[in-house]
Amino acid sequence: MSNIEPPLTDLSIRTTEGGFYNGFATSVAVPAKIIISILCVWAIFWPVQSGTVLNGWNQFILGNFAAWYIWVVAFFIIVCLGLAVWPTAGKMNLGLEGEKPEFDNFSWFSMMFGAGIGVGMLTWAVAEPISHFQNNPSVIQGITGAGAEDNILTAYKWSYMHWGLSAWSTYAICGLSLAFFSYRRGLPLTIRSALTPLFGRALAGTLGHVIDIVAVVATILGVAQTLGFGVDQFAAGLTRIGVGGLSYGPDAVNDAGESIAGTVTTFGIIVALLVIMGASTLSALSGVGKGIKWLSNINMILSIVLLGFFIIFGATFFGFYAFFVGIWEYVIALPGMSVNVWKSDGVDGSQAFLLSQWQGWWPVFYWAWWIAFAPFVGLFLARISRGRTIREFVLGAMIVPALMCFVWFAWAGGTAIDLELNGDANGVIFDAGNGDKIFAMTAFMLEPISQLLSWGMAVMIVVLLMTFLVTSADSAVLIVNTINAAGDEGPKARPHIIFWGVALGTVVAGLLISGGTSAIQTAMVIGALPFSIVMVLMCISLIKAIYNDGRREKAGVPTTFDEIPGATAPDIPNAPGLQPGE
């Protein structure tokens, strides 16, 4: 007779019956709303104080936790690859035994393609390669030259580093944990369920509430970062197509006498957010219906058209070089880049100081962003991957979206680098703001042919950007409400949808007004820190659960909720050995 017990398949999270919070776990929803509301009020009514305090916290985190962010994401890559090659884990189904995937491979990859390119591609596919082309650790160390031909592959190595396996392993850990414990164990589709092998039934109480609150706050700040960049680019695009008053003119300076040319005005922030959040809140209120599907279809068509334009009419052969040779350089350098931490010597302008500063600006910022964004993308990946094996999920979720990001970087960013490298652009793209670089590049390419064609391309990019922003904000509101409702994905009351739509827009507006995109970046780096600890625990929990399921299978003990006859695991008398929930 086996002494190994079945896993925990029931986690009763208390939700309210009736009233305003009907169906919600008020111990999660109310504190999360209070925290976000305080942040909004603080940023809007005390912008100078909030900016100063947030910056101080950011400096503390960068000084003391930069290594944590670097190493923890390296740990996520190792865990994902380890699960893919581990025989026990690799063949396990993210669902009931024998369950088949809901979507075929083409549809599955298409949806991950949509998640992979995202709104970030429209900003960073051009801005990041060209930024690293001008400056990166090799330039700081004197190994390669800024804006020189010998710096091309280094620029791509770092661009691929930030949007490649590191990013998607972070999402995969969250998505895999949610899928494993929800679809195999039958537990609620919420973050706390992923830690049941470590904490068991205690997660139904205060500990679980705290974990879900941390996830909600991280998600809001992670999505706010995406929307912050999107608002900046949206205003730049509207300015390009002739809408005035949204960005500062070429001679504008701030109180310190520094140029703020091209940055978004407060009026521009408000207009962009009213359009974006208004549309996304209406979409969330209607659910996943015709409107959102229509937007998604437009999104996919315009993405293909824009990418095709860069591949055919941009730097076609340069893109092939950047894609294939750049990936080789990235893969070879990945182990060292993933664990290397530069320490500042405290001397302003020294090489050590500049390397540490650069790492804070780029890898540490990105790792915090991906961690904060993980509940958002992870839940999406989990929902489309039921019935897949763990090996299919890990390799598919890590490699396919990363390759799509690389395609965008190679041809969109490659066209920008090629135009500046051969001298044709003469600084037009270099000098544009990050959000404006894609507009500056397409205008440079098309204006000599036709002003109307150039204007039309700018309109198309603005529409594409709009669809990305609306679908991202809409999905974020629905996902936050799912976590607040103890994993219930059903329809939510309108006031809660409206609250999170308004709250998300207000967070973005407040932080942008108090300190621009850097203020959102600072808040997000701070908010991601506690959730990074939760994600490390998710890794340990997942490994423990898979190991114990392997033992259960050998002993003939049920491993999925449907196999336990007549009762969930807690109703089965405990025997010595492995206890329910482990």
Side-chain angles (χ1 to χ4, degrees):
M1 184 174 177
S2 171
N3 66 348
I4 304 176
E5 290 293 329
L8 178 65
T9 56
D10 175 54
L11 188 65
S12 299
I13 303 171
R14 184 180 176 183
T15 56
T16 301
E17 295 184 9
F20 182 72
Y21 279 99
N22 181 43
F24 283 86
T26 53
S27 299
V28 176
V30 174
K33 286 182 177 181
I34 291 172
I35 292 170
I36 295 299
S37 297
I38 290 172
L39 179 60
C40 291
V41 171
W42 187 38
I44 290 173
F45 291 100
W46 292 277
V48 176
Q49 182 199 47
S50 60
T52 302
V53 172
L54 286 173
N55 187 59
W57 289 353
N58 187 51
Q59 293 303 317
F60 174 79
I61 288 176
L62 292 181
N64 295 276
F65 292 95
W68 165 260
Y69 275 121
I70 296 296
W71 293 336
V72 82
V73 171
F75 175 62
F76 295 156
I77 297 176
I78 293 169
V79 170
C80 284
L81 295 178
L83 291 174
V85 300
W86 183 12
T88 301
K91 62 184 176 61
M92 254 180 213
N93 194 318
L94 295 174
L96 307 179
E97 292 304 319
E99 188 172 356
K100 299 298 181 184
E102 181 180 357
F103 303 102
D104 60 32
N105 285 337
F106 178 80
S107 298
W108 189 50
F109 289 143
S110 295
M111 284 185 282
M112 284 194 291
F113 165 80
I117 58 176
V119 66
M121 284 294 96
L122 291 180
T123 299
W124 297 109
V126 176
E128 184 156 348
I130 209 161
S131 293
H132 297 329
F133 182 54
Q134 294 173 285
N135 188 42
N136 62 60
S138 294
V139 173
I140 294 171
Q141 294 170 307
I143 299 170
T144 57
E149 194 166 349
D150 67 348
N151 199 34
I152 293 171
L153 290 178
T154 306
Y156 272 97
K157 184 171 66 177
W158 283 107
S159 298
Y160 293 165
M161 172 73 177
H162 297 149
W163 292 78
L165 299 184
S166 302
W168 289 95
S169 65
T170 305
Y171 299 152
I173 288 295
C174 198
L176 182 58
S177 297
L178 287 167
F180 185 93
F181 290 100
S182 293
Y183 303 143
R184 285 183 65 86
R185 299 283 198 258
L187 297 173
L189 188 63
T190 188
I191 303 300
R192 72 176 82 186
S193 297
L195 303 185
T196 49
L198 300 180
F199 303 109
R201 293 193 168 280
L203 291 167
T206 302
L207 178 61
H209 301 332
V210 170
I211 289 167
D212 281 348
I213 291 167
V214 166
V216 169
V217 173
T219 300
I220 289 295
L221 293 176
V223 175
Q225 180 70 69
T226 301
L227 293 178
F229 285 134
V231 164
D232 191 50
Q233 189 169 36
F234 189 63
L238 290 177
T239 301
R240 287 275 178 176
I241 62 177
V243 180
L246 304 183
S247 300
Y248 288 104
D251 300 322
V253 295
N254 59 18
D255 295 338
E258 300 166 331
S259 174
I260 54 173
T263 58
V264 185
T265 63
T266 300
F267 174 71
I269 292 170
I270 293 170
V271 168
L273 281 173
L274 283 175
V275 173
I276 294 162
M277 297 313 302
S280 62
T281 303
L282 288 173
S283 176
L285 286 170
S286 66
V288 184
K290 293 182 179 179
I292 198 67
K293 290 179 182 177
W294 183 70
L295 280 175
S296 297
N297 289 337
I298 291 177
N299 183 301
M300 184 62 70
I301 292 168
L302 293 183
S303 296
I304 293 170
V305 170
L306 182 59
L307 183 59
F309 169 78
F310 290 129
I311 292 175
I312 297 170
F313 299 105
T316 306
F317 296 106
F318 185 101
F320 278 108
Y321 172 74
F323 183 74
F324 290 105
V325 182
I327 288 177
W328 173 254
E329 291 286 325
Y330 158 66
V331 171
I332 295 299
L334 180 62
M337 294 167 71
S338 296
V339 297
N340 184 51
V341 177
W342 283 294
K343 292 285 187 182
S344 174
D345 58 5
V347 180
D348 194 358
S350 69
Q351 187 179 101
F353 176 87
L354 292 175
L355 287 170
S356 176
Q357 184 183 58
W358 188 91
Q359 190 165 52
W361 284 345
W362 291 97
V364 173
F365 155 65
Y366 269 127
W367 296 173
W369 190 6
W370 303 152
I371 289 168
F373 216 45
F376 174 85
V377 181
L379 187 57
F380 170 76
L381 292 178
R383 288 169 65 180
I384 66 172
S385 301
R386 181 167 186 165
R388 298 275 168 186
T389 66
I390 289 178
R391 183 174 293 116
E392 280 181 305
F393 177 90
V394 169
L395 296 180
M398 283 180 70
I399 295 173
V400 174
L403 287 176
M404 291 314 307
C405 290
F406 296 168
V407 167
W408 275 85
F409 277 100
W411 275 277
T415 299
I417 290 177
D418 188 50
L419 289 172
E420 289 287 6
L421 188 63
N422 63 30
D424 289 346
N426 197 28
V428 169
I429 306 170
F430 277 153
D431 296 339
N434 285 335
D436 196 36
K437 287 188 189 306
I438 192 169
F439 294 104
M441 180 173 71
T442 53
F444 175 80
M445 294 170 69
L446 294 174
E447 278 184 357
I449 302 171
S450 167
Q451 289 278 354
L452 181 62
L453 192 60
S454 175
W455 182 85
M457 176 61 79
V459 170
M460 190 189 83
I461 296 173
V462 167
V463 172
L464 177 58
L465 181 62
M466 177 72 178
T467 62
F468 274 132
L469 290 169
V470 169
T471 52
S472 295
D474 163 63
S475 300
V477 169
L478 295 176
I479 285 169
V480 163
N481 274 318
T482 296
I483 298 173
N484 284 335
D488 179 15
E489 296 180 83
K492 303 297 185 297
R494 288 173 178 266
H496 301 288
I497 292 174
I498 293 170
F499 172 86
W500 285 112
V502 171
L504 187 53
T506 308
V507 167
V508 176
L511 292 173
L512 280 176
I513 292 168
S514 68
T517 53
S518 62
I520 301 180
Q521 175 179 333
T522 297
M524 184 269 300
V525 169
I526 296 167
L529 186 59
F531 192 66
S532 69
I533 298 170
V534 173
M535 287 197 64
V536 170
L537 294 175
M538 290 170 79
C539 291
I540 297 169
S541 176
L542 188 61
I543 292 168
K544 181 179 180 182
I546 292 170
Y547 171 73
N548 286 335
D549 272 9
R551 293 176 59 201
R552 290 184 178 104
E553 287 179 353
K554 289 180 181 178
V557 176
T559 60
T560 56
F561 68 91
D562 70 315
E563 295 177 333
I564 301 173
T568 56
D571 296 324
I572 301 173
N574 291 343
L578 188 62
Q579 299 302 308
E582 295 184 327

